[in-house]
Amino acid sequence: MFRLAILTTWLGAVGAGPAVGEDEARRPQPQEQSGQVEKSPEADEQASSWEFQFAGHGGAAGLVSRGEVRLAIASSVGSVDETVGYSRERSWGAGLRVIRSRWGVEAQHHRVASRGFTPAAMMRETRWFGAQDLPLTDSADDLLSVFAVREFPLARGRATVHLAAGGGYLLMGGDSGRLVLEDVPPGVSRMATFGGTSHEAVIEMTEGDFRADRGVAVLGGSLGLTLRMGRMFLRPRLDVFLGRARATEESWGMRMHVPEIQEEVATTMTLNTTMRPRLFLFNVEVGWSSRP
């Protein structure tokens, strides 16, 4: 009887063994549970869906214009003055960003107050007599840009940092097409040289003509931080653009009358400028996202 009891107990333990092992196998492990939390269907759906971000922005623009100015009379070769101008202006605009899986595309329009990109502003940087007195009127340029964007999540997705690169087109407007020398008053007296001798001459401007590149292509990059508040977001950002050279040419008919020797000379004055724009835009965007 004793041996029969031992045999019965042993057979019961062997029969129960597989059931216990199956229960342990069916029980979810801690790693599997955590993996299911990290890759929920909702998270996968958000990562694979498109996100649309609409925003308006405003801020400050730091403008740098590097270039050359040449003033020539008749067919003479005028001296070239290299110029560097700096100015701080206002900027504002709007944009659209489309994101999927942290990669996206962004298109923006910037309106930049840019008196520093005008030929008159370049003339003021020279040492020519009276150049510093040339007036500057209010002007604004339009910058259209397209960026490829990569976002890096922070703070469990409630904030992101972005890096972007691309290009665009800077469209010159306003005072950029204004004649620089039209403000020279009639009857200006200047010293002129005739036959190796300097005489006082009265200068009269007649008719002017202006030709310029309407705009220039630019390359750019951007760095910014996006702070999310539901579907709304706040994004301070810095955008930098480097533009190709823009050329202008202004020509005037000119008469010089020298009372001392009773001589009058008709000639042409030509003003050429070449300017390479640099834009540093610090803006704060306020926008709405299609995905919280």
Side-chain angles (χ1 to χ4, degrees):
M1 293 295 293
F2 178 73
R3 293 178 179 178
L4 180 60
I6 294 176
L7 179 60
T8 303
T9 303
W10 181 79
L11 289 175
V14 171
V20 174
E22 290 177 1
D23 290 343
E24 291 294 332
R26 292 173 183 173
R27 184 177 303 167
Q29 299 299 318
Q31 292 182 354
E32 294 177 356
Q33 291 177 351
S34 62
Q36 290 175 358
V37 172
E38 291 177 359
K39 296 183 179 180
S40 63
E42 292 81 2
D44 291 340
E45 182 179 354
Q46 280 196 351
S48 62
S49 64
W50 292 97
E51 178 184 2
F52 297 88
Q53 300 177 1
F54 304 88
H57 63 261
L63 309 180
V64 181
S65 58
R66 294 180 176 271
E68 298 86 30
V69 178
R70 175 186 283 114
L71 185 65
I73 297 178
S75 58
S76 63
V77 178
S79 61
V80 177
D81 280 53
E82 295 186 357
T83 64
V84 181
Y86 304 91
S87 63
R88 291 190 297 271
E89 305 286 355
R90 294 169 290 110
S91 70
W92 60 97
L96 167 65
R97 178 181 293 186
V98 181
I99 292 288
R100 184 178 184 182
S101 300
R102 305 302 176 189
W103 286 94
V105 178
E106 177 184 78
Q108 281 203 328
H109 169 249
H110 297 273
R111 183 77 165 169
V112 184
S114 56
R115 294 179 299 174
F117 290 161
T118 63
M122 297 182 64
M123 283 279 290
R124 287 169 63 114
E125 299 298 327
T126 67
R127 295 170 293 177
W128 297 342
F129 179 79
Q132 290 73 25
D133 299 328
L134 289 172
L136 294 179
T137 59
D138 291 337
S139 177
D141 296 339
D142 293 294
L143 174 60
L144 306 175
S145 65
V146 177
F147 282 156
V149 182
R150 175 69 166 96
E151 289 187 342
F152 302 90
L154 300 174
R156 297 181 179 180
R158 306 315 301 171
T160 57
V161 172
H162 80 256
L163 292 175
Y169 191 74
L170 177 62
L171 186 64
M172 306 292 186
D175 197 42
S176 296
R178 182 171 173 268
L179 290 166
V180 178
L181 302 178
E182 67 182 353
D183 293 308
V184 176
V188 172
S189 179
R190 292 288 187 269
M191 296 303 295
T193 301
F194 295 92
T197 305
S198 296
H199 302 277
E200 186 175 1
V202 178
I203 300 176
E204 298 283 351
M205 297 293 189
T206 56
E207 184 179 357
D209 185 31
F210 185 82
R211 294 189 299 273
D213 297 334
R214 188 70 177 91
V216 295
V218 296
L219 295 177
S222 176
L223 171 65
L225 173 66
T226 302
L227 305 174
R228 293 179 176 271
M229 298 161 285
R231 291 187 181 273
M232 302 297 294
F233 63 86
L234 188 71
R235 179 185 293 139
R237 60 186 293 167
L238 174 66
D239 299 271
V240 179
F241 295 92
L242 308 178
R244 299 183 61 184
R246 184 216 188 194
T248 71
E249 180 180 291
E250 179 176 337
S251 58
W252 284 86
M254 184 176 66
R255 288 196 302 268
M256 292 188 298
H257 178 65
V258 185
E260 187 176 349
I261 59 177
Q262 296 297 315
E263 185 170 349
E264 184 170 308
V265 178
T267 184
T268 302
M269 177 183 289
T270 305
L271 172 66
N272 294 93
T273 67
T274 303
M275 182 268 297
R276 292 174 292 277
R278 307 287 186 266
L279 298 91
F280 301 86
L281 309 180
F282 177 76
N283 292 295
V284 177
E285 289 183 313
V286 179
W288 178 88
S289 171
S290 64
R291 189 172 68 200

